[in-house]
């Protein structure tokens, strides 16, 4: 079967990796699982065997027909559902409500829409328990980066706002057919949105993070001024949040950025 590269079709052929992904998402008994992009079914088979209910979301109609044929028995029993849909349109919250539980998400993602998928999952974070996702290595490095490292930035803190992330393992291009041009990394995201604990309003704080990470080379104080925050004494505000005057946003933990945001909001509520 020819793979459609415009749909990010790189099929996993490494059986050991398939087992590792399923273990990383386990235990699946009693759970409703959503697979993003089941493709030719490499991971689907194992998920269907372990999960109580599997919803497989595939955008390519040709693959949907094949999957429906292959899982006909389990579909008839109501244990598997193959849905022809764009994952970005899928309402995870509605499914979680119907299932009466938070969902487990698994996927070897189509890389051309990795960021939109991560943001879509973040929007439905309250409906999700955990996700085990394969992405290109560079994206996983950014998602799981530590403050002060080259890869730490807006993506890292945005993901952390919705829970914790950990890298699991990396695969070379040869683990896929056809091989992609990049290495791939599987990471786990355990969802636990932190807005209440950090005492920040979701929309305003995300807007603030976009502004402070806007220009990588600028200091935090300069990014704050450019964005119209901390119009008074930015250095004093930063000091109250425990931040050095010349600091850059890329050096600061999410908790510190939240405390700066609270200081700024108390000074000049927007
Ligand atoms: C990297 S492949 C993974 C296939 C399979 N899970 C595997 O590991 O071999 C990505 C899959 O996502 C599907 N896909 C692409 N865009 C999609 C979208 N917007 N919504 C759902 N699935 C999509 C592709 O057709 C493809 O089957």
């Amino acid at each position: 079967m020819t793979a459609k590269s415009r749909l990010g079709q790189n099929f996993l052929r490494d059986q050991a990796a398939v087992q590792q992904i399923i273990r990383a998402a386990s235990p699946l008994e009693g759970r409703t699982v959503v697979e993003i992009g089941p493709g030719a079914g490499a991971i689907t088979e194992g998920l269907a065997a372990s999960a109580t209910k599997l919803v497989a979301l595939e955008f390519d109609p040709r693959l949907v027909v094949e999957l429906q044929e292959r899982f006909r028995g389990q579909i008839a029993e109501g244990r598997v559902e193959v849905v022809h849909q764009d994952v970005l349109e899928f309402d995870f919250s509605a499914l979680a409500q119907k299932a009466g539980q938070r969902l487990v998400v698994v996927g070897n993602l189509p890389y051309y829409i990795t960021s939109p998928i991560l943001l879509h999952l973040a929007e439905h974070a309250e409906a999700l328990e955990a996700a085990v996702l394969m992405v290109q290595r560079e994206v996983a490095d950014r998602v799981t980066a530590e403050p002060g490292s080259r890869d730490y930035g807006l993506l890292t803190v945005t993901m952390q706002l919705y829970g914790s992330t950990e890298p699991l393992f990396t695969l070379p291009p040869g683990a896929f057919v056809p091989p992609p041009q990049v290495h791939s990394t599987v990471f786990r995201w355990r969802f636990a949105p932190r807005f209440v604990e950090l005492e920040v309003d979701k929309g305003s704080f995300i807007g603030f993070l976009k502004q402070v990470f806007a220009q990588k080379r600028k200091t935090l104080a300069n990014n704050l001024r450019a964005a119209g925050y901390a119009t008074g004494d930015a250095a004093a505000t930063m000091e109250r949040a425990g931040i050095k005057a010349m600091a850059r946003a890329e050096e600061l933990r999410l908790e510190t950025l939240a405390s700066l945001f609270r200081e700024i909001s108390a000074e000049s509520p927007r």
Side-chain angles (χ1 to χ4, degrees), residues 4 6-13 18 21 35-44 57-60 63 83 85-88 107-113 117 134 176-177:
K4 294 181 183 161
R6 72 184 162 79
L7 285 182
Q9 291 181 355
N10 300 99
F11 300 116
L12 185 57
R13 60 167 193 174
V18 169
I21 290 171
E35 186 185 8
I36 300 173
I43 312 169
T44 320
L57 302 176
E58 177 54 60
F59 197 46
D60 183 343
L63 294 173
V83 182
Q85 197 172 2
D86 178 351
V87 57
L88 300 177
N108 170 12
L109 299 188
Y111 293 172
Y112 74 104
I113 44 167
I117 293 175
M134 172 110 66
F176 305 86
V177 190

Side-chain angles (χ1 to χ4, degrees), residues 109 114-115 117-119 121 131 133-147 149-168 185-191 253-254:
L109 299 188
T114 300
S115 294
I117 293 175
L118 297 179
L119 293 175
L121 293 176
L133 304 173
M134 172 110 66
V135 297
Q136 75 178 72
R137 180 169 63 185
E138 289 70 18
V139 175
D141 287 348
R142 284 163 58 209
V143 164
T144 58
E146 292 293 331
S149 69
R150 190 196 56 183
D151 294 315
Y152 186 79
L154 183 60
L155 180 65
T156 325
V157 291
T158 306
M159 301 271 298
Q160 285 180 357
L161 266 176
Y162 295 93
S164 58
T165 58
E166 61 179 313
L168 297 177
T185 298
V186 175
F187 75 96
R188 186 167 37 214
W189 191 3
R190 294 189 198 276
F191 294 89
R253 310 201 74 83
L254 179 62

Side-chain angles (χ1 to χ4, degrees), residues 6 34 86 90 101 108 162 200 204 230:
R6 72 184 162 79
V34 178
D86 178 351
F90 187 73
Q101 60 171 256
N108 170 12
Y162 295 93
V200 292
S204 334

Side-chain angles (χ1 to χ4, degrees), residues 92-94 96-97 101-104 123-129:
F92 288 88
S93 302
Q97 199 160 27
Q101 60 171 256
R102 299 201 299 162
L103 309 170
V104 174
E123 273 170 31
H124 291 272
E126 304 280 357
L128 308 177
E129 174 76 23

